[in-house]
Amino acid sequence: MAHLLPQKNAEYGTQQYWDDRYAQEADDGSFDWCKTYADIKHLVNRFVPNKDVRIVMLGCGNSTLSRDMYDDGYRNIANIDYSPVVIEKMARVNADREGMTWTVGDVRKLPFEDQSIDVCFDKATLDAMLTSEKDPWNPPPQAVADVKGEVDEVIRVLKPTGVFLYFTFGQPHFRRPLLQRPGWTVQHLEVGDGFAYYWFWMRRDEQPDPPAPSV
């Protein structure tokens, strides 16, 4: 794994780094930032109780998240990533998962119609965009523009009842200002013990939050 690490963290935000990395990894290789689906399954099931909805996985990479969600009953998942290398590999590895799609594309310019998606899911893709920051209070203008591009596209493609789910290692006081938009509510909860991760959900103001889990 060490030979796959970039010389500088900022490389995590470049397509060239990911193309090179995915080309070196085994065809059946996978890598999950943050946690696995087993760790967050209870949250996915809570925030996406209807397994028939249309889901877009933003910057899918070679994570097992889509595969595990599909095997848990979520059969309408569209995966998008700007690396043609990983899209080709993941399409081949998951060829038996009928209905799941794999598309080369830019999360800052999503190939979906306005208000056509129920759930957009980002698992550390925005984090990769922000790896060039040296001061988390003042991320570089290009990183801010990239994040804005993705969030604005999510807002465009989500149905009025849709939700944007974002799982990150970024602390809320750094991430929230990048997510907030007029007319939208942004909330979060902490996941895990010790080193914490954060689960954000973003929906239109008039939409109710999912019920709290029963104790």
Side-chain angles (χ1 to χ4, degrees):
M1 177 62 71
H3 71 285
L4 298 175
L5 299 177
Q7 294 183 349
K8 298 179 180 179
N9 280 344
E11 293 180 41
Y12 283 122
T14 67
Q15 180 181 343
Q16 187 62 55
Y17 167 74
W18 290 109
D19 280 344
D20 292 345
R21 174 169 174 158
Y22 293 135
Q24 294 178 64
E25 292 182 326
D27 284 355
D28 58 350
S30 63
F31 186 83
D32 271 290
W33 298 94
C34 303
K35 292 180 176 289
T36 66
Y37 182 60
D39 298 313
I40 60 173
K41 178 181 182 300
H42 63 293
L43 292 172
V44 175
N45 292 164
R46 173 186 167 191
F47 284 83
V48 194
N50 180 359
K51 295 186 176 182
D52 295 325
V53 296
R54 191 180 186 194
I55 301 169
V56 171
M57 201 65 64
L58 302 163
C60 60
N62 59 352
S63 168
T64 61
L65 179 60
S66 294
R67 178 198 72 191
D68 293 340
M69 286 181 62
Y70 185 97
D71 292 348
D72 191 32
Y74 296 95
R75 300 301 169 84
N76 192 354
I77 302 176
N79 300 275
I80 183 169
D81 199 288
Y82 65 4
S83 170
V85 178
V86 79
I87 288 296
E88 188 277 331
K89 284 189 175 184
M90 295 301 284
R92 186 170 64 252
V93 170
N94 292 282
D96 61 335
R97 291 179 170 86
E98 184 178 353
M100 187 155 63
T101 63
W102 302 87
T103 302
V104 177
D106 191 330
V107 297
R108 297 163 298 183
K109 193 174 182 180
L110 293 171
F112 305 107
E113 296 179 355
D114 295 358
Q115 298 189 5
S116 61
I117 305 299
D118 297 289
V119 181
C120 285
F121 200 153
D122 178 314
K123 185 167 178 273
T125 296
L126 288 178
D127 296 352
M129 295 180 181
L130 292 164
T131 52
S132 61
E133 65 183 12
K134 294 181 172 58
D135 176 3
W137 292 106
N138 297 288
Q142 185 58 56
V144 173
D146 289 339
V147 170
K148 181 179 185 301
E150 178 182 325
V151 176
D152 286 351
E153 278 292 274
V154 166
I155 288 173
R156 179 183 68 79
V157 304
L158 278 180
K159 294 179 181 178
T161 56
V163 61
F164 177 32
L165 303 176
Y166 171 40
F167 193 48
T168 173
F169 54 75
Q171 296 182 337
H173 46 276
F174 297 135
R175 294 297 190 256
R176 182 178 288 274
L178 298 171
L179 299 173
Q180 290 175 324
R181 296 291 189 280
W184 289 75
T185 298
V186 179
Q187 294 178 273
H188 75 274
L189 54 83
E190 189 171 314
V191 180
D193 300 319
F195 187 90
Y197 296 91
Y198 301 93
W199 175 275
F200 283 85
W201 64 99
M202 179 176 175
R203 60 176 70 241
R204 286 175 173 81
D205 286 343
E206 65 271 18
Q207 293 302 314
D209 287 325
S214 58
V215 178

